[in-house]
Amino acid sequence: MANILLSAATALLAGTTLIGSAHSAELPKGAAHNIVLVHGAFVDQTSWQPVAAILAKKGYNVTLVENPLTSLAADVDATRQALAKQDGKTVLVGHSWGGVVITQAGNDPKVSALVYVSAFAPEIGESLASLAKAGPPTEGGKAIHPDAKGDLYIDPKVFPSAVAADLPQEIATKLANSQLPLNHVAFEAPVDIAAWKDKPTFYVVSTKDKVLAPEAQKLFAARIKAQTTEVAGSHASLVVHAQQVAAVIEKAALAK
């Protein structure tokens, strides 16, 4: 999975170093120096590599959370462990399912702002399952099915067009065939914290998304009173539009 996503990033961001430790670049006065990135279902943390590379090059301390995807509690714990290692103000960012995770984990006092990228933003008592049922049906949503163990996957035949239509076909196909499953326990678990109620929030809407309908994304953004940016990308916009996504995170780093 990591090699596949790095290949995608390389193809789309030729000339950009794909991760590295933050260097001594001077950040804007008062900016949060730490960025914690939480990935969605079906992929791993390297989906954030293009964005992480941009931010690290500018001097931010960037951490990629590795979600086990076994339960909401497990993913929240992984995120809280990452937050515990940060020194000072931190921007917490989630993509897709990662939006559920940061909603639950984002009440940490170190978190100065939340950024949702093509992400679910539940209210207290809502789960990914309930949000999926309430929103407009999508090609990707209808292609999610459980296996015999209860693990959820997107139909590999549908994945390329539904999830990553703006990635090279070869890359999208490889991602489809190497998915990381999301356990149904995570899918059904409601949040009991809504951190966006008390934090500055930002939302990146992907207007060509076929997994989480753009209409639903806009509703989430309005409900959480987020500063909203639109990008003409698929559910994989964090890779394809990494520069724009990174720019939104930089704005969040300056939020008061």
Side-chain angles (χ1 to χ4, degrees):
M1 176 69 74
N3 289 338
I4 296 167
L5 284 165
L6 286 173
S7 296
T10 301
L12 291 162
L13 294 172
T16 299
T17 301
L18 280 182
I19 196 71
S21 58
H23 55 65
S24 59
E26 187 174 345
L27 297 175
K29 185 176 180 180
H33 285 211
N34 306 306
I35 312 293
V36 172
L37 304 171
V38 182
H39 67 86
F42 314 118
V43 297
D44 65 17
Q45 71 276 14
T46 58
S47 57
W48 278 114
Q49 284 275 15
V51 170
I54 293 166
L55 294 170
K57 190 173 182 179
K58 292 190 175 185
Y60 292 94
N61 174 44
V62 184
T63 300
L64 309 180
V65 176
E66 185 175 357
N67 285 331
L69 301 176
T70 52
S71 69
L72 174 59
D75 287 5
V76 168
D77 183 62
T79 301
R80 286 177 173 160
Q81 287 184 45
L83 290 171
K85 297 175 182 178
Q86 308 306 309
D87 181 15
K89 291 168 59 177
T90 303
V91 178
L92 184 58
V93 188
H95 172 246
S96 192
W97 156 254
V100 181
V101 179
I102 70 170
T103 296
Q104 182 77 12
N107 64 336
D108 188 292
K110 291 180 183 176
V111 175
S112 58
L114 299 166
V115 181
Y116 293 78
V117 180
S118 314
F120 294 89
E123 173 63 274
I124 292 172
E126 293 180 338
S127 66
L128 185 57
S130 65
L131 293 175
K133 289 177 183 177
T138 62
E139 179 184 353
K142 290 186 287 187
I144 298 174
H145 304 294
D147 65 10
K149 297 179 181 179
D151 291 329
L152 301 172
Y153 294 86
I154 295 178
D155 184 336
K157 295 179 181 178
V158 179
F159 188 106
S161 63
V163 180
D166 42 11
L167 285 176
Q169 178 66 33
E170 180 184 359
I171 297 294
T173 300
K174 287 181 178 178
L175 288 173
N177 293 328
S178 59
Q179 295 177 59
L180 299 179
L182 178 70
N183 192 277
H184 72 92
V185 172
F187 189 70
E188 296 162 1
V191 300
D192 56 23
I193 296 169
W196 49 261
K197 292 178 181 285
D198 303 306
K199 308 279 184 176
T201 59
F202 297 75
Y203 200 110
V204 178
V205 174
S206 298
T207 62
K208 296 182 179 180
D209 199 323
K210 295 181 181 178
V211 176
L212 177 53
E215 298 88 345
Q217 294 182 43
K218 291 174 183 179
L219 287 173
F220 288 142
R223 177 165 74 172
I224 67 177
K225 297 180 173 59
Q227 292 188 41
T228 304
T229 300
E230 295 188 7
V231 297
S234 71
H235 201 60
S237 60
L238 74 169
V239 175
V240 182
H241 296 282
Q243 293 283 358
Q244 290 165 278
V245 172
V248 173
I249 295 170
E250 288 193 86
K251 286 183 183 179
L254 292 169
K256 302 290 187 183

